[in-house]
């Protein structure tokens, strides 16, 4: 479904991605793990066209999307939930969902809201409440629901568990698993929480200084001594 070949990206003179090869098959959960500054967010952002890949190719659903503007990429069926959620705090929950729908086909708004309330019942209870008054975990659910309103084929989540209480962390990973297993959603997940992420992922990649240093199934990476030393045992 998604294939990156030799992708490089720069911020001015900073060479953030140094020739990455990554694949995500339809129906998979794939996770990217790595330390702060390894390039995980940049990788997701460059799939979304900002920063644009300075070399290499990004193919989605058989089409070369390298260099397309972000709105065109979003139209092809990729949605990104950015780090820090970026919901609209002064708008209600419902209005936030509307913003997600506005990015794609607004035709089926009512049905899509009902679908989201089915997935996240708390959002139904809080429909008319300002989003800024929700807890961190609820805001993360809203950010995911807003992204799903555009009916993406690929959902990219950047650090969805960041800053959440343990109860919500478990809940978010449960949602990731459920979206994939019960709704067939293909998911690319960036996480610092390597333990949780590798447990839900079919496959994973380890990024270090803008390069892939290790790849394998979630279970293989969980068992790998390098991963254990660097990311699971207080690393
Ligand atoms: P984190 O978990 O801290 O977000 P990350 O693995 O997602 O880490 P990136 O945010 O992708 O890492 O950063 C990769 C490199 O690019 C780092 O050296 C970072 O300082 C640099 N970088 C990221 N964003 C920018 C930006 N907007 N302008 C300049 N440099 C940036």
């Amino acid at each position: 479904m998604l294939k990156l070949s030799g992708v490089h990206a720069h911020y001015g003179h900073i060479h953030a991605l140094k020739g990455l090869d990554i694949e995500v098959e339809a129906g998979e959960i794939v996770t990217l793990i790595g330390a702060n500054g390894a390039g995980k967010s940049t990788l997701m952002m460059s799939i979304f066209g900002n920063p644009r890949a300075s070399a290499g190719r990004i193919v989605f659903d058989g089409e070369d999307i390298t260099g397309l503007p972000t709105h065109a990429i979003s139209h092809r069926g990729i949605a990104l939930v950015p780090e820090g959620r970026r919901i609209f705090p002064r708008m209600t929950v419902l209005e936030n969902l509307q913003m997600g729908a506005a990015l794609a086909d607004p035709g089926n708004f009512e049905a899509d809201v009902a679908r989201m309330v089915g997935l996240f019942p708390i959002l139904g209870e809080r429909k008319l409440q300002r989003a800024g008054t929700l807890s961190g975990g609820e805001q993360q659910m809203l950010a995911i629901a807003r992204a799903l309103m555009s009916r993406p084929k690929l959902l990219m989540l950047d650090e969805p568990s960041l800053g959440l209480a343990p109860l919500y962390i478990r809940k978010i990973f449960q949602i990731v698993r459920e979206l994939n297993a019960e709704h067939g959603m293909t998911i690319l997940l960036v996480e610092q929480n390597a333990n949780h992420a590798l447990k839900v992922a079919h496959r994973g990649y380890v990024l270090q200084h803008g390069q892939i240093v290790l790849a394998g199934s979630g279970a293989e990476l969980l068992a790998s001594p390098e991963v254990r030393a660097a990311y699971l045992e207080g690393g």
Side-chain angles (χ1 to χ4, degrees), residues 11 14 16 35-42 83 159 192:
Y11 294 105
I14 297 173
N36 275 336
K40 306 180 299 297
S41 299
T42 304
E83 190 176 329
E159 305 264 10
Q192 295 243 346

